[in-house]
Amino acid sequence: MEDELEDRVLHQTYLSFMKIISKFTSSVAFDTPVSYLWKMVRLYLLRSEVVVFTLGIIIFFMYLQTIELWSRTLLSRLSQAMSPLSAVQRMKLMEGSDSDKQSWELKGSLSAAYAIKGRRMHMEDKFIINENINNTGVSLFAIFDGHGGEFAANYAKDHLIQNLYNKVVELTAFKDGKMITPPFVNSPDEPKVEQESNVVERKTSFKKSISAADDTSRKEITDPELLAQLSKARPITREVRASPKPVKQLAIPLASYLEKGKINFGKLLTDEVLAADRLLVEAAKRSFNVAGTTALLAILEDNQLIVANVGDSRGVMCDSKGNAIPVSFDHKPQQVREQKRIEAAGGYIAFNGVWRVAGILATSRAMGDYPLKDKKFVIADPDILTFNLDDHKPMFLVLASDGLWDTFTNEEAIKFIKERIDEPDFGAKSLTLQAYYRGSVDNITVLIINFLQNKFSSSNISQ
């Protein structure tokens, strides 16, 4: 009651004050411009709602000034915000600080890749370019987008690619009636031989900002059952321990990969991805490493393109008419097929910014991720798509991690590269940086394969 009475008294006082001002101003003659202006002010600016709103704005700006959230040069700030920026100025504003300058690029004969760490704290993308493996006429390209750390992506890059390389050499020799011991491919961490000008170059010319808040790659595990599984033994550590009983990979006869004198690359990719995933999961369990990675692999032989995909990295081909042809499809938890599979395994999907498996992982298929893999919520079975290049007569192929596809549609990426295919790296760098400038918060890797020339050369490259 007392509060209501005070409100009434304040309201009546305000009305009385406004009536006095109104009587005073109404007695003034309106035969001059000044008097006419005063009349307009009285009719429009001295209305109660206008006065209250104006006082509120003044108090708000005084508050900002007090807590030093607003610059003293208010007018200059407003002028800068309202004035149009040139493209160069806008790009400089988005470059960020000098604390992170990491980027990677690799140029093959008819392919090129460019990758940046972007706004993440760590670089977890890995890529492979292997043109004309050991003069077999087979070329291999791959992108691995890691999450929860680099362990899984590095493991896939080192072991899966190594096994595929050796199998391609063995199968080619077996098909031609020559059985030879496949040469060993140097892992990226070892000194490379027979590599002259075509080497991975780590760039420091690209400036980016980093923030701990932007590092969304490390997802906190919230599922009670998963936490219980992880806490059964000693605390989680990144230290890798030697296994007393190494997991043996099942030996598959080479003849099983040959059909009518040709290599069944779809079966080879499927078997090798699943075999590498089994070894990866065992290695991760020994070190309690919960990291995982997507896997996007493309094999070229003659006029055949075979693409294997696990996760949400994506490949898109530009045909002779300039159309965007998807060569892979993302594995997302909200897809009907994936959701049914997850629920049949006893799992669930939950929305946490995006749809996630058990509220944790934003892709429903991946290599690694052993807590979710053990429960079969996440699997590593790749989707295999095969294309006859004579049917599409493609101009180029784009393989990229989801850092690109978060800001580009398939059609936009194809149009962008089509206008820049004559650049030295076939537009890979331009597309990567453009995705960054559009606001991508993930690692970004783009790999371009140029089909406008006839054949791949005999160079042999790997990151």
Side-chain angles (χ1 to χ4, degrees):
M1 290 296 293
E2 293 181 358
D3 294 340
E4 185 177 352
L5 181 59
E6 290 179 0
D7 293 340
R8 286 187 177 182
V9 170
L10 181 61
H11 182 67
Q12 290 298 329
T13 303
Y14 172 77
L15 290 179
S16 300
F17 176 74
M18 296 303 294
K19 286 180 179 180
I20 293 173
I21 293 180
S22 178
K23 287 181 180 180
F24 172 75
T25 55
S26 62
S27 62
V28 180
F30 296 100
D31 53 355
T32 63
V34 175
S35 59
Y36 179 78
L37 178 61
W38 173 248
K39 180 180 179 180
M40 295 297 101
V41 170
R42 180 174 63 84
L43 291 177
Y44 296 105
L45 298 183
L46 293 181
R47 297 171 64 90
S48 58
E49 57 270 24
V50 175
V51 173
V52 172
F53 179 76
T54 304
L55 289 175
I57 293 294
I58 293 173
I59 294 172
F60 177 70
F61 280 107
M62 290 177 63
Y63 171 74
L64 292 178
Q65 185 70 25
T66 302
I67 62 176
E68 297 182 353
L69 288 179
W70 199 260
S71 172
R72 292 182 179 180
T73 58
L74 176 60
L75 294 179
S76 62
R77 283 290 184 112
L78 291 175
S79 175
Q80 183 180 4
M82 297 300 292
S83 62
L85 295 176
S86 66
V88 175
Q89 290 175 321
R90 189 177 296 108
M91 290 174 69
K92 286 183 177 179
L93 287 175
M94 297 197 67
E95 280 183 351
S97 67
D98 295 336
S99 60
D100 177 31
K101 302 176 182 179
Q102 294 180 335
S103 62
W104 294 259
E105 63 180 324
L106 182 61
K107 177 71 169 64
S109 298
L110 296 176
S111 60
Y114 193 86
I116 61 172
K117 187 165 74 69
R119 296 178 173 87
R120 286 289 176 87
M121 292 294 290
H122 305 282
M123 181 59 172
E124 296 172 335
D125 282 7
K126 307 296 175 184
F127 62 86
I128 293 290
I129 290 180
N130 239 315
E131 295 182 356
N132 193 15
I133 297 175
N134 203 40
N135 294 322
T136 59
V138 179
S139 298
L140 172 63
F141 308 90
I143 288 181
F144 303 104
D145 182 0
H147 48 262
E150 303 177 13
F151 177 76
N154 280 330
Y155 190 97
K157 182 187 71 173
D158 295 343
H159 296 81
L160 174 58
I161 297 302
Q162 174 69 72
N163 294 336
L164 283 171
Y165 184 101
N166 291 341
K167 280 292 178 64
V168 167
V169 174
E170 286 181 326
L171 285 167
T172 303
F174 184 80
K175 180 183 66 172
D176 297 338
K178 304 174 184 178
M179 283 304 300
I180 62 173
T181 302
F184 182 78
V185 182
N186 293 316
S187 71
D189 297 329
E190 297 177 350
K192 291 180 171 57
V193 296
E194 298 181 2
Q195 305 246 1
E196 298 176 358
S197 60
N198 292 325
V199 295
V200 180
E201 182 178 355
R202 182 166 178 164
K203 292 290 183 179
T204 59
S205 60
F206 183 69
K207 301 178 181 178
K208 300 168 286 298
S209 61
I210 59 172
S211 169
D214 288 332
D215 186 16
T216 57
S217 63
R218 302 175 186 271
K219 302 301 179 185
E220 181 180 357
I221 298 178
T222 57
D223 183 62
E225 295 183 10
L226 297 179
L227 289 173
Q229 180 178 352
L230 290 174
S231 61
K232 285 181 180 178
R234 48 191 178 278
I236 295 178
T237 176
R238 296 290 180 186
E239 180 185 357
V240 180
R241 300 174 179 81
S243 172
K245 295 182 180 180
V247 178
K248 294 183 178 180
Q249 188 172 349
L250 298 177
I252 301 177
L254 293 179
S256 65
Y257 294 113
L258 295 179
E259 293 182 0
K260 298 180 180 179
K262 294 186 177 181
I263 301 174
N264 186 340
F265 286 107
K267 176 177 171 56
L268 175 63
L269 287 169
T270 300
D271 289 348
E272 291 300 326
V273 167
L274 293 177
D277 181 63
R278 287 193 297 270
L279 296 174
L280 169 58
V281 168
E282 292 299 326
K285 286 180 178 179
R286 292 195 298 271
S287 61
F288 289 88
N289 195 308
V290 297
T293 183
T294 69
L296 178 63
L297 303 108
I299 286 182
L300 279 170
E301 185 187 34
D302 297 330
N303 63 340
Q304 294 295 311
L305 168 66
I306 304 93
V307 180
N309 181 52
V310 180
D312 55 6
S313 295
R314 190 186 309 165
V316 182
M317 180 171 58
C318 177
D319 67 8
S320 59
K321 299 179 181 179
N323 299 320
I325 310 296
V327 298
S328 71
F329 296 95
D330 302 353
H331 294 132
K332 293 294 188 181
Q334 67 270 26
Q335 293 171 346
V336 175
R337 178 184 66 166
E338 297 297 291
Q339 183 176 357
K340 287 183 177 179
R341 179 187 59 76
I342 294 168
E343 291 175 349
Y348 65 94
I349 66 173
F351 190 84
N352 182 14
V354 295
W355 287 102
R356 301 179 184 275
V357 180
I360 302 171
L361 190 60
T363 179
S364 57
R365 299 194 189 189
M367 298 178 65
D369 294 294
Y370 81 85
L372 296 171
K373 188 68 62 65
D374 283 350
K375 293 179 174 292
K376 301 188 184 303
F377 296 170
V378 171
I379 61 176
D381 299 52
D383 281 342
I384 306 293
L385 293 179
T386 302
F387 299 86
N388 188 324
L389 300 184
D390 292 338
D391 295 337
H392 299 281
K393 295 180 174 58
M395 289 189 269
F396 57 85
L397 173 66
V398 180
L399 305 177
S401 61
D402 64 339
L404 171 71
W405 307 116
D406 288 342
T407 57
F408 272 85
T409 65
N410 294 354
E411 291 73 19
E412 287 174 339
I414 291 301
K415 181 181 178 181
F416 191 93
I417 292 297
K418 188 178 178 181
E419 297 171 352
R420 295 164 177 82
I421 194 65
D422 293 330
E423 294 180 0
D425 57 6
F426 313 124
K429 180 177 180 179
S430 298
L431 183 57
T432 303
L433 299 185
Q434 186 62 30
Y436 179 82
Y437 295 140
R438 288 191 179 189
S440 177
V441 297
D442 203 349
N443 303 144
I444 309 170
T445 299
V446 174
L447 195 159
I448 306 295
I449 304 171
N450 186 1
F451 292 110
L452 293 179
Q453 301 182 34
N454 292 330
K455 295 182 179 180
F456 283 89
S457 72
S458 59
S459 61
N460 193 6
I461 308 169
S462 63
Q463 181 211 20

